[in-house]
PDB file of all heavy atoms in Angstrom:
ATOM      1  N   LEU A   1       5.700   6.633   6.657  1.00 88.00           N
ATOM      2  CA  LEU A   1       6.223   5.835   5.566  1.00 88.00           C
ATOM      3  C   LEU A   1       7.637   5.473   5.926  1.00 88.00           C
ATOM      4  O   LEU A   1       8.367   6.259   6.470  1.00 88.00           O
ATOM      5  CB  LEU A   1       6.164   6.665   4.240  1.00 88.00           C
ATOM      6  CG  LEU A   1       6.665   5.945   2.990  1.00 88.00           C
ATOM      7  CD1 LEU A   1       5.820   6.314   1.790  1.00 88.00           C
ATOM      8  CD2 LEU A   1       8.120   6.358   2.722  1.00 88.00           C
ATOM      9  N   SER A   2       8.042   4.258   5.549  1.00 86.00           N
ATOM     10  CA  SER A   2       9.455   3.879   5.633  1.00 86.00           C
ATOM     11  C   SER A   2       9.713   2.779   4.603  1.00 86.00           C
ATOM     12  O   SER A   2       8.805   2.049   4.204  1.00 86.00           O
ATOM     13  CB  SER A   2       9.760   3.344   7.015  1.00 86.00           C
ATOM     14  OG  SER A   2       9.044   2.152   7.324  1.00 86.00           O
ATOM     15  N   GLY A   3      10.973   2.757   4.178  1.00 85.00           N
ATOM     16  CA  GLY A   3      11.300   1.721   3.198  1.00 85.00           C
ATOM     17  C   GLY A   3      12.753   1.871   2.764  1.00 85.00           C
ATOM     18  O   GLY A   3      13.391   2.940   3.035  1.00 85.00           O
ATOM     19  N   PRO A   4      13.322   0.886   2.214  1.00 87.00           N
ATOM     20  CA  PRO A   4      12.700  -0.410   1.976  1.00 87.00           C
ATOM     21  C   PRO A   4      12.477  -1.196   3.286  1.00 87.00           C
ATOM     22  O   PRO A   4      13.136  -0.966   4.253  1.00 87.00           O
ATOM     23  CB  PRO A   4      13.766  -1.145   1.081  1.00 87.00           C
ATOM     24  CG  PRO A   4      15.053  -0.523   1.440  1.00 87.00           C
ATOM     25  CD  PRO A   4      14.745   0.888   1.747  1.00 87.00           C
ATOM     26  N   GLN A   5      11.449  -2.037   3.260  1.00 90.00           N
ATOM     27  CA  GLN A   5      11.140  -2.784   4.470  1.00 90.00           C
ATOM     28  C   GLN A   5      12.181  -3.878   4.666  1.00 90.00           C
ATOM     29  O   GLN A   5      12.783  -4.340   3.729  1.00 90.00           O
ATOM     30  CB  GLN A   5       9.749  -3.470   4.211  1.00 90.00           C
ATOM     31  CG  GLN A   5       8.604  -2.475   3.995  1.00 90.00           C
ATOM     32  CD  GLN A   5       8.179  -1.763   5.290  1.00 90.00           C
ATOM     33  OE1 GLN A   5       7.489  -2.378   6.073  1.00 90.00           O
ATOM     34  NE2 GLN A   5       8.548  -0.503   5.418  1.00 90.00           N
ATOM     35  N   GLY A   6      12.261  -4.332   5.912  1.00 95.00           N
ATOM     36  CA  GLY A   6      13.223  -5.376   6.222  1.00 95.00           C
ATOM     37  C   GLY A   6      12.554  -6.744   6.093  1.00 95.00           C
ATOM     38  O   GLY A   6      11.510  -7.014   6.744  1.00 95.00           O
ATOM     39  N   LEU A   7      13.122  -7.622   5.298  1.00 97.00           N
ATOM     40  CA  LEU A   7      12.644  -9.017   5.217  1.00 97.00           C
ATOM     41  C   LEU A   7      13.556  -9.818   6.161  1.00 97.00           C
ATOM     42  O   LEU A   7      14.745 -10.010   5.899  1.00 97.00           O
ATOM     43  CB  LEU A   7      12.782  -9.570   3.801  1.00 97.00           C
ATOM     44  CG  LEU A   7      12.478 -11.025   3.591  1.00 97.00           C
ATOM     45  CD1 LEU A   7      11.031 -11.357   3.946  1.00 97.00           C
ATOM     46  CD2 LEU A   7      12.774 -11.459   2.137  1.00 97.00           C
ATOM     47  N   HIS A   8      13.032 -10.230   7.290  1.00 98.00           N
ATOM     48  CA  HIS A   8      13.815 -10.889   8.287  1.00 98.00           C
ATOM     49  C   HIS A   8      13.332 -12.330   8.564  1.00 98.00           C
ATOM     50  O   HIS A   8      12.140 -12.609   8.665  1.00 98.00           O
ATOM     51  CB  HIS A   8      13.855 -10.118   9.574  1.00 98.00           C
ATOM     52  CG  HIS A   8      12.483  -9.740  10.127  1.00 98.00           C
ATOM     53  ND1 HIS A   8      11.903 -10.350  11.200  1.00 98.00           N
ATOM     54  CD2 HIS A   8      11.610  -8.810   9.730  1.00 98.00           C
ATOM     55  CE1 HIS A   8      10.756  -9.796  11.510  1.00 98.00           C
ATOM     56  NE2 HIS A   8      10.519  -8.876  10.574  1.00 98.00           N
ATOM     57  N   CYS A   9      14.273 -13.264   8.601  1.00 98.00           N
ATOM     58  CA  CYS A   9      13.964 -14.683   8.652  1.00 98.00           C
ATOM     59  C   CYS A   9      14.724 -15.361   9.793  1.00 98.00           C
ATOM     60  O   CYS A   9      15.773 -14.908  10.235  1.00 98.00           O
ATOM     61  CB  CYS A   9      14.280 -15.384   7.332  1.00 98.00           C
ATOM     62  SG  CYS A   9      13.406 -14.746   5.942  1.00 98.00           S
ATOM     63  N   SER A  10      14.186 -16.531  10.238  1.00 98.00           N
ATOM     64  CA  SER A  10      14.820 -17.287  11.259  1.00 98.00           C
ATOM     65  C   SER A  10      16.010 -18.020  10.794  1.00 98.00           C
ATOM     66  O   SER A  10      16.922 -18.373  11.532  1.00 98.00           O
ATOM     67  CB  SER A  10      13.786 -18.262  11.820  1.00 98.00           C
ATOM     68  OG  SER A  10      13.262 -19.099  10.811  1.00 98.00           O
ATOM     69  N   GLU A  11      16.070 -18.250   9.432  1.00 98.00           N
ATOM     70  CA  GLU A  11      17.227 -18.965   8.831  1.00 98.00           C
ATOM     71  C   GLU A  11      17.832 -18.145   7.710  1.00 98.00           C
ATOM     72  O   GLU A  11      17.106 -17.298   7.086  1.00 98.00           O
ATOM     73  CB  GLU A  11      16.845 -20.351   8.273  1.00 98.00           C
ATOM     74  CG  GLU A  11      16.232 -21.363   9.289  1.00 98.00           C
ATOM     75  CD  GLU A  11      17.263 -21.745  10.282  1.00 98.00           C
ATOM     76  OE1 GLU A  11      18.543 -21.754   9.951  1.00 98.00           O
ATOM     77  OE2 GLU A  11      16.955 -22.095  11.464  1.00 98.00           O
ATOM     78  N   PRO A  12      19.122 -18.235   7.434  1.00 98.00           N
ATOM     79  CA  PRO A  12      19.690 -17.427   6.396  1.00 98.00           C
ATOM     80  C   PRO A  12      19.180 -17.746   4.998  1.00 98.00           C
ATOM     81  O   PRO A  12      18.557 -18.769   4.762  1.00 98.00           O
ATOM     82  CB  PRO A  12      21.198 -17.793   6.492  1.00 98.00           C
ATOM     83  CG  PRO A  12      21.213 -19.131   7.139  1.00 98.00           C
ATOM     84  CD  PRO A  12      20.053 -19.152   8.091  1.00 98.00           C
ATOM     85  N   PHE A  13      19.320 -16.795   4.071  1.00 98.00           N
ATOM     86  CA  PHE A  13      18.878 -16.936   2.703  1.00 98.00           C
ATOM     87  C   PHE A  13      19.710 -16.035   1.855  1.00 98.00           C
ATOM     88  O   PHE A  13      20.375 -15.088   2.321  1.00 98.00           O
ATOM     89  CB  PHE A  13      17.384 -16.587   2.609  1.00 98.00           C
ATOM     90  CG  PHE A  13      17.088 -15.161   3.081  1.00 98.00           C
ATOM     91  CD1 PHE A  13      17.019 -14.085   2.118  1.00 98.00           C
ATOM     92  CD2 PHE A  13      16.858 -14.867   4.415  1.00 98.00           C
ATOM     93  CE1 PHE A  13      16.722 -12.781   2.544  1.00 98.00           C
ATOM     94  CE2 PHE A  13      16.593 -13.595   4.816  1.00 98.00           C
ATOM     95  CZ  PHE A  13      16.523 -12.558   3.928  1.00 98.00           C
ATOM     96  N   GLN A  14      19.654 -16.287   0.544  1.00 96.00           N
ATOM     97  CA  GLN A  14      20.422 -15.476  -0.412  1.00 96.00           C
ATOM     98  C   GLN A  14      19.640 -15.160  -1.659  1.00 96.00           C
ATOM     99  O   GLN A  14      19.670 -14.117  -2.211  1.00 96.00           O
ATOM    100  CB  GLN A  14      21.739 -16.141  -0.766  1.00 96.00           C
ATOM    101  CG  GLN A  14      22.752 -15.218  -1.423  1.00 96.00           C
ATOM    102  CD  GLN A  14      23.357 -14.216  -0.466  1.00 96.00           C
ATOM    103  OE1 GLN A  14      23.683 -14.546   0.678  1.00 96.00           O
ATOM    104  NE2 GLN A  14      23.530 -12.984  -0.910  1.00 96.00           N
ATOM    105  N   SER A  15      18.845 -16.193  -2.089  1.00 97.00           N
ATOM    106  CA  SER A  15      18.234 -16.104  -3.416  1.00 97.00           C
ATOM    107  C   SER A  15      16.725 -16.487  -3.294  1.00 97.00           C
ATOM    108  O   SER A  15      16.325 -17.040  -2.267  1.00 97.00           O
ATOM    109  CB  SER A  15      18.914 -17.062  -4.382  1.00 97.00           C
ATOM    110  OG  SER A  15      18.713 -18.377  -3.983  1.00 97.00           O
ATOM    111  N   PRO A  16      15.972 -16.256  -4.350  1.00 97.00           N
ATOM    112  CA  PRO A  16      14.575 -16.750  -4.300  1.00 97.00           C
ATOM    113  C   PRO A  16      14.456 -18.255  -4.073  1.00 97.00           C
ATOM    114  O   PRO A  16      13.479 -18.691  -3.435  1.00 97.00           O
ATOM    115  CB  PRO A  16      14.055 -16.349  -5.711  1.00 97.00           C
ATOM    116  CG  PRO A  16      14.868 -15.144  -6.085  1.00 97.00           C
ATOM    117  CD  PRO A  16      16.239 -15.411  -5.525  1.00 97.00           C
ATOM    118  N   ALA A  17      15.441 -19.009  -4.578  1.00 97.00           N
ATOM    119  CA  ALA A  17      15.408 -20.455  -4.369  1.00 97.00           C
ATOM    120  C   ALA A  17      15.438 -20.815  -2.863  1.00 97.00           C
ATOM    121  O   ALA A  17      14.787 -21.722  -2.427  1.00 97.00           O
ATOM    122  CB  ALA A  17      16.557 -21.118  -5.083  1.00 97.00           C
ATOM    123  N   ASP A  18      16.196 -19.995  -2.129  1.00 98.00           N
ATOM    124  CA  ASP A  18      16.297 -20.207  -0.651  1.00 98.00           C
ATOM    125  C   ASP A  18      14.944 -19.881   0.035  1.00 98.00           C
ATOM    126  O   ASP A  18      14.591 -20.449   1.076  1.00 98.00           O
ATOM    127  CB  ASP A  18      17.348 -19.357  -0.045  1.00 98.00           C
ATOM    128  CG  ASP A  18      18.751 -19.690  -0.605  1.00 98.00           C
ATOM    129  OD1 ASP A  18      18.967 -20.826  -1.011  1.00 98.00           O
ATOM    130  OD2 ASP A  18      19.538 -18.733  -0.729  1.00 98.00           O
ATOM    131  N   LEU A  19      14.165 -18.940  -0.525  1.00 98.00           N
ATOM    132  CA  LEU A  19      12.935 -18.470   0.154  1.00 98.00           C
ATOM    133  C   LEU A  19      11.719 -19.235  -0.335  1.00 98.00           C
ATOM    134  O   LEU A  19      10.663 -19.115   0.295  1.00 98.00           O
ATOM    135  CB  LEU A  19      12.729 -17.007  -0.139  1.00 98.00           C
ATOM    136  CG  LEU A  19      13.763 -16.055   0.496  1.00 98.00           C
ATOM    137  CD1 LEU A  19      13.585 -14.624  -0.023  1.00 98.00           C
ATOM    138  CD2 LEU A  19      13.661 -16.071   2.010  1.00 98.00           C
ATOM    139  N   LYS A  20      11.836 -19.959  -1.362  1.00 97.00           N
ATOM    140  CA  LYS A  20      10.673 -20.649  -1.930  1.00 97.00           C
ATOM    141  C   LYS A  20       9.988 -21.560  -0.922  1.00 97.00           C
ATOM    142  O   LYS A  20      10.725 -22.398  -0.283  1.00 97.00           O
ATOM    143  CB  LYS A  20      11.103 -21.513  -3.156  1.00 97.00           C
ATOM    144  CG  LYS A  20       9.909 -22.138  -3.934  1.00 97.00           C
ATOM    145  CD  LYS A  20      10.318 -22.808  -5.184  1.00 97.00           C
ATOM    146  CE  LYS A  20       9.159 -23.386  -5.914  1.00 97.00           C
ATOM    147  NZ  LYS A  20       9.568 -24.066  -7.179  1.00 97.00           N
ATOM    148  N   GLY A  21       8.723 -21.409  -0.702  1.00 96.00           N
ATOM    149  CA  GLY A  21       7.977 -22.219   0.220  1.00 96.00           C
ATOM    150  C   GLY A  21       7.936 -21.680   1.586  1.00 96.00           C
ATOM    151  O   GLY A  21       7.154 -22.160   2.455  1.00 96.00           O
ATOM    152  N   ARG A  22       8.777 -20.672   1.952  1.00 98.00           N
ATOM    153  CA  ARG A  22       8.747 -20.130   3.302  1.00 98.00           C
ATOM    154  C   ARG A  22       7.443 -19.234   3.477  1.00 98.00           C
ATOM    155  O   ARG A  22       7.038 -18.518   2.579  1.00 98.00           O
ATOM    156  CB  ARG A  22       9.977 -19.302   3.572  1.00 98.00           C
ATOM    157  CG  ARG A  22      11.256 -20.100   3.561  1.00 98.00           C
ATOM    158  CD  ARG A  22      12.385 -19.298   4.230  1.00 98.00           C
ATOM    159  NE  ARG A  22      13.672 -19.851   3.968  1.00 98.00           N
ATOM    160  CZ  ARG A  22      14.830 -19.357   4.453  1.00 98.00           C
ATOM    161  NH1 ARG A  22      14.834 -18.313   5.248  1.00 98.00           N
ATOM    162  NH2 ARG A  22      16.005 -19.939   4.144  1.00 98.00           N
ATOM    163  N   THR A  23       6.911 -19.320   4.674  1.00 98.00           N
ATOM    164  CA  THR A  23       5.711 -18.504   5.017  1.00 98.00           C
ATOM    165  C   THR A  23       6.223 -17.201   5.587  1.00 98.00           C
ATOM    166  O   THR A  23       7.094 -17.152   6.479  1.00 98.00           O
ATOM    167  CB  THR A  23       4.824 -19.197   6.033  1.00 98.00           C
ATOM    168  OG1 THR A  23       4.436 -20.488   5.476  1.00 98.00           O
ATOM    169  CG2 THR A  23       3.614 -18.359   6.376  1.00 98.00           C
ATOM    170  N   VAL A  24       5.695 -16.059   5.107  1.00 98.00           N
ATOM    171  CA  VAL A  24       6.145 -14.747   5.480  1.00 98.00           C
ATOM    172  C   VAL A  24       4.998 -13.912   5.956  1.00 98.00           C
ATOM    173  O   VAL A  24       3.926 -13.873   5.336  1.00 98.00           O
ATOM    174  CB  VAL A  24       6.916 -14.063   4.355  1.00 98.00           C
ATOM    175  CG1 VAL A  24       6.088 -13.971   3.091  1.00 98.00           C
ATOM    176  CG2 VAL A  24       7.462 -12.723   4.767  1.00 98.00           C
ATOM    177  N   ARG A  25       5.135 -13.137   7.010  1.00 96.00           N
ATOM    178  CA  ARG A  25       4.159 -12.197   7.471  1.00 96.00           C
ATOM    179  C   ARG A  25       4.214 -10.975   6.497  1.00 96.00           C
ATOM    180  O   ARG A  25       5.235 -10.470   6.175  1.00 96.00           O
ATOM    181  CB  ARG A  25       4.517 -11.723   8.867  1.00 96.00           C
ATOM    182  CG  ARG A  25       3.544 -10.598   9.380  1.00 96.00           C
ATOM    183  CD  ARG A  25       4.065  -9.192   9.265  1.00 96.00           C
ATOM    184  NE  ARG A  25       3.048  -8.248   9.717  1.00 96.00           N
ATOM    185  CZ  ARG A  25       3.189  -6.944   9.753  1.00 96.00           C
ATOM    186  NH1 ARG A  25       4.362  -6.445   9.378  1.00 96.00           N
ATOM    187  NH2 ARG A  25       2.247  -6.176  10.215  1.00 96.00           N
ATOM    188  N   ILE A  26       3.004 -10.600   6.063  1.00 91.00           N
ATOM    189  CA  ILE A  26       2.929  -9.482   5.139  1.00 91.00           C
ATOM    190  C   ILE A  26       2.040  -8.346   5.790  1.00 91.00           C
ATOM    191  O   ILE A  26       1.045  -8.686   6.439  1.00 91.00           O
ATOM    192  CB  ILE A  26       2.409  -9.840   3.730  1.00 91.00           C
ATOM    193  CG1 ILE A  26       1.070 -10.609   3.856  1.00 91.00           C
ATOM    194  CG2 ILE A  26       3.395 -10.718   3.020  1.00 91.00           C
ATOM    195  CD1 ILE A  26      -0.166  -9.766   3.640  1.00 91.00           C
ATOM    196  N   PRO A  27       2.382  -7.102   5.577  1.00 84.00           N
ATOM    197  CA  PRO A  27       1.662  -6.039   6.236  1.00 84.00           C
ATOM    198  C   PRO A  27       0.642  -5.322   5.302  1.00 84.00           C
ATOM    199  O   PRO A  27      -0.187  -4.551   5.811  1.00 84.00           O
ATOM    200  CB  PRO A  27       2.772  -5.024   6.601  1.00 84.00           C
ATOM    201  CG  PRO A  27       3.846  -5.218   5.559  1.00 84.00           C
ATOM    202  CD  PRO A  27       3.717  -6.654   5.085  1.00 84.00           C
ATOM    203  N   TYR A  28       0.724  -5.488   3.978  1.00 78.00           N
ATOM    204  CA  TYR A  28      -0.193  -4.773   3.050  1.00 78.00           C
ATOM    205  C   TYR A  28      -0.204  -5.542   1.724  1.00 78.00           C
ATOM    206  O   TYR A  28       0.706  -6.343   1.417  1.00 78.00           O
ATOM    207  CB  TYR A  28       0.231  -3.293   2.853  1.00 78.00           C
ATOM    208  CG  TYR A  28       1.691  -3.103   2.728  1.00 78.00           C
ATOM    209  CD1 TYR A  28       2.338  -3.270   1.492  1.00 78.00           C
ATOM    210  CD2 TYR A  28       2.461  -2.696   3.799  1.00 78.00           C
ATOM    211  CE1 TYR A  28       3.717  -3.104   1.346  1.00 78.00           C
ATOM    212  CE2 TYR A  28       3.816  -2.485   3.668  1.00 78.00           C
ATOM    213  CZ  TYR A  28       4.432  -2.667   2.457  1.00 78.00           C
ATOM    214  OH  TYR A  28       5.811  -2.446   2.318  1.00 78.00           O
TER     215      TYR A  28
END
């Protein structure tokens, strides 16, 4: 077990508005 998981992106972000529409790999 490990956490919190790292959300890592190719471009910077700060808020949900920045992430809206981005495709993300999910593990579970």
Side-chain angles (χ1 to χ4, degrees):
L1 179 144
S2 64
Q5 302 283 285
L7 175 62
H8 52 106
C9 297
S10 55
E11 299 293 335
F13 59 94
Q14 195 72 40
S15 68
D18 299 328
L19 294 172
K20 187 175 182 180
R22 294 195 196 184
T23 301
V24 57
R25 177 261 179 177
I26 53 97
Y28 41 82

